[in-house]
Amino acid sequence: MTPAHTHAPELRAAARHIGRRGFLTATGAAAALAFSVNLPGTAHAAEADARRLTEDPFTLGVASGDPLPGSVLLWTRLAPRPYEPGGGMPRARVQVRWELAHDARFTRVVRRGTATAHPEFDHSLHVEVTGLDTGRGYHYRFRAGDWISPAGRTRTAPAPGARTGGLKLAAVSCQAYHDGYFTAYRHLADEDLDAVFHLGDYLYEYAVNATGGARAYTDRRLPAHFNRETVTLEDYRLRYGLYKSDPDLRAAHAAHPFVVTWDDHETENNYADGTPENDVPPEEFLLRRAAAYRAYWENQPLRVPQRPTGPGMRLYRRLRFGRLAQFDILDTRQYRSDQAYGDGWQTPGPESEDPARTMTGAAQERWLLDGWKNSTATWNVLPQQVTFAQRRNVPGPGFKLSMDAWDGYPASRKRVLDGAAAAGVDNLLVLTGDVHVGYAFDLKADFDDPESRTVGTEIVATSIASGKDGADKPANHDDLTRANPHLKFYNGRRGYVTVTLTGERARADFRTVSAVTTPGAPVTTAASFVTEAGDPGLRPV
């Protein structure tokens, strides 16, 4: 790494003294690396007068997330120059006003207040507004000095016991800026949705050149500091500034509340727990992970319980929408066992099939299964990152499986499915990202026996941009569909999927765009499927 591309010296020194074991097990040591040397209150930052801001500080838009009954979480980040370190803000705290209203013109404001944008959190704001009506839509905005942010729309979740008639969500994933435009988000912003679930790879750590990679800009040049891999806290903060400056992403965030979870690229490709992709010292990677996790929290509409401590962050959590749906949002990256057989597509064997291997870690697995035991929801939805169903690469003997997906952790998958059955979960719906294609799977009690009982459904959202334009029928389409009879749909275009839940059925609509390497492509529905409550199994519409 170049001198401009290194961690703060006090953090590097602390990491050398702690090492991996201390990083993961010692609360005090982890706190030392929680950037506690740089938290609000410790640096005694001065206060800047927001009226002195001469440039629009709301270049990254607004967002909301994690809707609860009677409560919303509002987000923004002050960054008049988002492509510069510090976002063009003074190294001082700034008071920001916020408003929440029933109407888009803000003539009926129901809540207002002031929040502090701290330089230690890169002038990001996470405002939790409580005491609201349940199951209701709201409009919100921020003010800093004379500057007013774009307005956003959000909504609260229904009351815990409410018999909600329906719920419509979207699932998205994988938005590599350098692979194309975020056109799908522009169409997503126009959908009538209750929430958007982002299933990982919100940003990529890879270098972005001056013309934006496949975007091939002719009207601008991106700064040279984007043309390197993200490693430090400043790197990750700048990369979020680049991504969130995209107008289509901003439009989607402003239109709908997001529920986010990460996969690997928000930190580093295919890392597993404390094990990096490449051979670097443990303290180096855990410093990187701590930086990535902190920047993730700063730039996402997440509540205070999700704020990271050192290299750890409690991202798995539970949301409920009345009696209709319970969402158990997983983190399948932070606690997993290292990938078997060196990762990639491999022939399964004793290493991958070791019963001790885990995708979730023991604590998260217990939390999930206990949550199902207490669920009264019609639909138990599992938003998570990597393909859950078995996915053989070719028919017949000699097949390989992805060691990065649940196929590399079959004992962990079996514990989850057994736990769902023991809890009496009748309508299990898994939402997945990661693979840059759209899939629809029946989940089987025994994937090796196509005639075994169907126990749930998996809907895999394709990428927003990763993989560039893609194709309706990828090159391995025939092999994959013949090798996996429980695979009911496979499409390789970019886009998103919407899922409509009622008390009777779930409907998935796979929405795709024809291109992302050029802007403005139209959206179409590639396929639609339904599964009936109490009768798992997908049927085309």
Side-chain angles (χ1 to χ4, degrees):
M1 293 184 294
T2 66
H5 198 48
T6 58
H7 300 286
E10 66 271 24
L11 300 179
R12 180 178 297 280
R16 280 197 299 268
H17 284 95
I18 292 166
R20 183 177 187 276
R21 182 173 299 277
F23 226 133
L24 298 178
T25 62
T27 302
L33 279 165
F35 300 93
S36 57
V37 295
N38 190 22
L39 292 176
T42 61
H44 305 293
E47 182 167 334
D49 187 346
R51 292 173 296 181
R52 294 184 176 273
L53 293 173
T54 59
E55 299 173 82
D56 180 9
F58 297 111
T59 60
L60 304 182
V62 299
S64 68
D66 280 18
L68 299 177
S71 173
V72 297
L73 185 286
L74 310 179
W75 175 93
T76 194
R77 179 181 141 209
L78 306 182
R81 295 191 294 276
Y83 293 177
E84 296 181 9
M89 289 293 293
R91 187 70 187 168
R93 62 185 188 274
V94 177
Q95 297 302 309
V96 179
R97 292 168 289 162
W98 57 268
E99 295 177 303
L100 191 79
H102 284 315
D103 65 308
R105 298 179 63 187
F106 290 85
T107 60
R108 293 183 293 147
V109 174
V110 294
R111 291 284 190 280
R112 56 166 49 95
T114 302
T116 303
H118 292 281
E120 294 89 350
F121 287 143
D122 211 23
H123 292 99
S124 62
L125 287 168
H126 299 74
V127 178
E128 297 191 36
V129 187
T130 60
L132 304 175
D133 295 335
T134 59
R136 178 164 188 165
Y138 291 92
H139 301 261
Y140 64 96
R141 64 186 179 186
F142 297 87
R143 294 174 182 262
D146 294 329
W147 299 97
I148 302 176
S149 76
R153 299 194 305 264
T154 190
R155 63 183 304 110
T156 56
R163 293 187 177 276
T164 306
L167 168 69
K168 187 174 182 180
L169 61 93
V172 298
S173 71
C174 303
Q175 52 198 53
Y177 186 99
H178 56 277
D179 271 359
Y181 289 89
F182 294 166
T183 307
Y185 272 134
R186 180 63 60 176
H187 298 296
L188 184 80
D190 294 331
E191 299 265 8
D192 183 12
L193 301 171
D194 294 285
V196 175
F197 286 77
H198 198 294
L199 304 172
D201 295 342
Y202 190 96
L203 62 68
Y204 280 68
E205 77 275 30
Y206 303 139
V208 181
N209 67 17
T211 55
R215 295 186 178 211
Y217 290 142
T218 58
D219 61 343
R220 74 199 79 173
R221 302 280 295 180
L222 299 178
H225 54 234
F226 291 127
N227 198 20
R228 67 186 186 212
E229 188 164 329
T230 54
V231 174
T232 68
L233 180 58
E234 183 177 283
D235 291 338
Y236 287 106
R237 284 171 165 173
L238 284 166
R239 194 61 55 89
Y240 280 106
L242 174 64
Y243 275 58
K244 284 182 168 289
S245 68
D246 182 275
D248 295 333
L249 176 56
R250 292 201 311 268
H253 270 300
H256 313 296
F258 271 55
V259 179
V260 299
T261 187
W262 56 38
D263 193 18
D264 51 341
H265 288 289
E266 290 89 349
T267 302
E268 181 192 51
N269 178 59
N270 279 19
Y271 81 94
D273 191 1
T275 303
E277 178 185 31
N278 300 310
D279 186 19
V280 299
E283 65 270 16
E284 287 285 341
F285 175 67
L286 288 168
L287 277 172
R288 180 180 185 174
R289 202 179 90 171
Y293 284 12
R294 170 134 172 193
Y296 184 83
W297 184 81
E298 289 174 346
N299 286 280
Q300 297 291 8
L302 288 163
R303 295 177 182 266
V304 171
Q306 275 63 62
R307 197 170 82 184
T309 301
M313 178 170 161
R314 168 70 181 265
L315 193 58
Y316 63 89
R317 61 207 189 278
R318 181 169 293 123
L319 299 176
R320 297 181 177 90
F321 282 72
R323 301 174 73 172
L324 181 62
Q326 175 173 299
F327 295 90
D328 294 287
I329 301 104
L330 294 190
D331 173 358
T332 64
R333 192 57 63 177
Q334 185 176 183
Y335 314 105
R336 64 159 68 191
S337 307
D338 195 14
Q339 292 92 342
Y341 299 114
D343 205 357
W345 287 77
Q346 307 291 345
T347 302
E351 184 179 341
S352 62
E353 294 168 358
D354 182 349
R357 289 177 55 73
T358 178
M359 178 66 89
T360 61
Q364 184 178 194
E365 183 179 294
R366 285 194 304 271
W367 167 86
L368 173 63
L369 302 188
D370 289 345
W372 279 342
K373 291 175 185 175
N374 296 320
S375 175
T376 58
T378 300
W379 296 95
N380 284 277
V381 186
L382 196 62
Q384 56 92 53
Q385 294 75 22
V386 294
T387 304
F388 189 84
Q390 187 181 88
R391 188 169 42 125
R392 297 181 175 185
N393 67 329
V394 294
F399 64 86
K400 294 182 177 180
L401 302 172
S402 169
M403 295 296 106
D404 190 57
W406 287 82
D407 275 338
Y409 306 77
S412 193
R413 177 172 59 198
K414 185 176 188 304
R415 289 192 297 271
V416 168
L417 290 177
D418 288 350
V425 171
D426 294 323
N427 303 306
L428 175 62
L429 175 60
V430 179
L431 298 179
T432 300
D434 181 55
V435 285
H436 311 167
V437 298
Y439 289 136
F441 288 104
D442 285 347
L443 299 179
K444 308 299 287 187
D446 180 358
F447 286 106
D448 294 327
D449 177 8
E451 302 304 316
S452 69
R453 186 167 55 93
T454 298
V455 296
T457 298
E458 181 177 13
I459 301 297
V460 180
T462 187
S463 62
I464 291 290
S466 304
K468 302 180 183 176
D469 292 337
D472 288 317
K473 191 174 181 179
N476 66 344
H477 180 277
D478 291 345
D479 275 345
L480 219 61
T481 51
R482 287 193 298 120
N484 303 283
H486 53 287
L487 173 58
K488 305 302 180 182
F489 173 72
Y490 177 20
N491 180 279
R493 290 290 186 189
R494 309 298 140 240
Y496 56 93
V497 61
T498 64
V499 178
T500 305
L501 302 176
T502 68
E504 293 75 39
R505 63 186 56 85
R507 172 178 172 137
D509 293 287
F510 290 87
R511 305 276 281 159
T512 60
V513 295
S514 56
V516 294
T517 54
T518 54
V523 67
T524 59
T525 301
S528 300
F529 292 85
V530 296
T531 180
E532 304 292 333
D535 183 19
L538 289 162
R539 291 187 294 279
V541 176

